[in-house]
Amino acid sequence: MFNDILNDDFSSAKGPKAIPVTLSTRIRLARNLREFPFPGRAETSQRRAVLTKCMEAMHDIKDLDSSYAVEVDDLSELERQILVEKHLISRELSDMDEASGIILSKDRNCCIMINEEDHLRIQVLQPGLNFSKVWKRVDALDSNIESEVSYAYDGDLGFLTACPTNLGTGMRASVMMHLPGLVMSKNMDKVVNAVNQLGFAVRGLFGEGSDASGSIFQISNQQTLGESESAIIERLDKTLQNLVRQEEFARKKLLQDDGRRLIDKISRAIGSLKSCHLIQSAEAMDLLSLIRLAADFKMLPDSYRSTADRMFIEIQPGHVQLAAGKPVEPDDRDYLRASLLRQKFAKAPFIKTDG
Amino acid sequence: MKCHQCDKQATVHLTQILNGQMHKMDLCESCAQAKGVTNPENLSIGNLMENASDVPEGSDSPMTCESCGTTHSEFKKGGRLGCEACYHVFRPVLDPLLDGMHAGNKHLGKIPAGSKSRVQFEQSISQLRSQLQGAIEEENYEDAARIRDQLKELESKEQANVEG
Ligand SMILES: [Zn+2]
Ligand SMILES: [Zn+2]
């Protein structure tokens, strides 16, 4: 069963197909049960009691029919890493060794973490930019769970969480965005500042060291108290739509001002992906980012957008080792990663220009 | 933008709150990872506050949560509370922190169905208590007696609910 999940092609999961700029929308709610200390302060027996209670509470929820439930310590290191790379669970949860659990819905768009920093982290995600749909589902799921358990809640402070930064709604709404236009035109610092001013956090999503590889950023609300869920979402949504317009504008300008350089970059990326024999993940991310951009510019067929999205995940170290069926040293990973990419882009057309 | 800890390019941009003051913080991926803030789902001031130089060692105030054992200095260091009761115990030090951290200090979002009656109950109790206080201050003893009876009735109802 678990192998199905690991090998599952997530980007083909039900839902709209990949669109330019916005990769996915996610909302997570932090919740704790009354009368139990938060996981960080709880005895193992208490954590186990919470885990059992939560698993039972979710047993009869229709939205979670045929979902997959597992305890974290029943998963191997590699399996945990895979789930982290797929952005289904947090690194923190993957490090938990006792009485933590995961429930993953059949369509893989809903993932509940039990005994992470809070007793419950209920998350729903969806490709593209679609807060209303994601909120509807996570809200219903939360209400269903709440009909089975009692939440720690205070009339003034809202949902009580281990960290006061999550207090109130317990909600973190976020969107993963592909912003190569703003990065290449060196506008990202300005954007980060402006978005921060509005109480939203921006972070590069992939890559170690250097700058956000792949030009992929996650933007989320930082404040959870003093505003309703719908007010937070509305504000964030407006900001993100504005950001999409700025990204589109930056791309148009790059093409107008220095189109030859941009086409050169994209063409070289296609060439590299078709012919590399050793490649590290940071470089691969940057090349894939250019592929996604080329699909948005209609320089490549639409299908390459979802190929890029799938490869963003599949070139990560855990996934490369999963495909190899064994632990692999970094040098060998670079080799395996290169052959995967070569194969995926073997048929990619080169860009033709008049000159 | 350079990383606050080293010279690498910063890719993680956080707003950090220390003693009610907002601080912006830009980190590179490796420093962010070292501080445990790699996952934005878990964005938290806790790990950032760890290195705060303005947490004096050994100046443990007597504030301690009896329910879970969390001490004031543990909260200051880790940024995390241990249980529901902590929110009452640490409320005085928490309130100024919340002011800097959030858009407001009153929850305006979802109310869990199971808490609706409890929340309403707590609100009417506190309303009656302040009315009682007012009546006593105005030496309006007739009203005070009436309000006191109402309070007693409400509280005994809740008692019955808890036991039943
Ligand atoms: Zn650094
Ligand atoms: Zn406590």
Side-chain angles (χ1 to χ4, degrees), chain B residues 65 68 82-83 86:
Chain B
C65 174
C68 73
C83 72
C86 283

Side-chain angles (χ1 to χ4, degrees), chain B residues 2-10 26-32:
Chain B
K2 290 260 169 71
C3 171
H4 273 203
Q5 304 293 118
C6 66
D7 260 359
K8 279 191 265 179
Q9 174 90 17
D26 307 296
L27 297 169
C28 72
E29 197 71 25
S30 28
C31 291

Side-chain angles (χ1 to χ4, degrees), chain B residues 9-104:
Chain B
Q9 174 90 17
T11 57
V12 181
H13 311 280
L14 296 170
T15 304
Q16 170 192 29
I17 293 103
L18 282 175
N19 303 327
Q21 292 279 103
M22 282 262 215
H23 298 274
K24 276 210 39 202
M25 178 115 138
D26 307 296
L27 297 169
C28 72
E29 197 71 25
S30 28
C31 291
Q33 204 151 57
K35 284 175 169 289
V37 290
T38 49
N39 190 335
E41 300 300 309
N42 264 324
L43 203 72
S44 128
I45 52 162
N47 302 312
L48 296 172
M49 280 169 60
E50 235 163 42
N51 295 354
S53 51
D54 44 1
V55 178
E57 281 302 320
S59 68
D60 209 358
S61 85
M63 220 184 274
T64 297
C65 174
E66 282 180 19
S67 188
C68 73
T70 300
T71 64
H72 184 201
S73 88
E74 278 175 318
F75 170 51
K76 269 175 110 174
K77 270 194 180 166
R80 301 232 162 67
L81 293 167
C83 72
E84 280 175 85
C86 283
Y87 274 97
H88 294 286
V89 178
F90 297 109
R91 196 61 191 271
V93 288
L94 193 62
D95 274 337
L97 271 174
L98 293 179
D99 282 341
M101 206 183 285
H102 292 294

Side-chain angles (χ1 to χ4, degrees), chain A residues 138-149:
Chain A
V138 78
D139 181 34
L141 205 50
D142 174 54
S143 298
N144 282 329
I145 297 170
E146 200 253 327
S147 68
E148 303 287 327
V149 299

Side-chain angles (χ1 to χ4, degrees), chain B residues 71-155:
Chain B
T71 64
H72 184 201
S73 88
E74 278 175 318
F75 170 51
K76 269 175 110 174
K77 270 194 180 166
R80 301 232 162 67
L81 293 167
C83 72
E84 280 175 85
C86 283
Y87 274 97
H88 294 286
V89 178
F90 297 109
R91 196 61 191 271
V93 288
L94 193 62
D95 274 337
L97 271 174
L98 293 179
D99 282 341
M101 206 183 285
H102 292 294
N105 54 15
K106 174 109 185 68
H107 177 57
L108 297 176
K110 186 171 179 175
I111 300 174
S115 291
K116 268 182 193 143
S117 56
R118 186 159 53 92
V119 170
Q120 275 162 5
F121 167 79
E122 277 161 11
Q123 277 168 351
S124 32
I125 290 269
S126 74
Q127 219 169 10
L128 284 174
R129 282 206 183 113
S130 69
Q131 279 176 13
L132 178 63
Q133 192 63 34
I136 291 170
E137 271 162 23
E138 288 166 22
E139 301 186 6
N140 189 344
Y141 298 113
E142 218 168 287
D143 276 3
R146 188 177 47 79
I147 296 165
R148 199 172 287 132
D149 285 347
Q150 279 179 353
L151 257 172
K152 243 182 229 159
E153 196 185 337
L154 253 182
E155 277 164 345

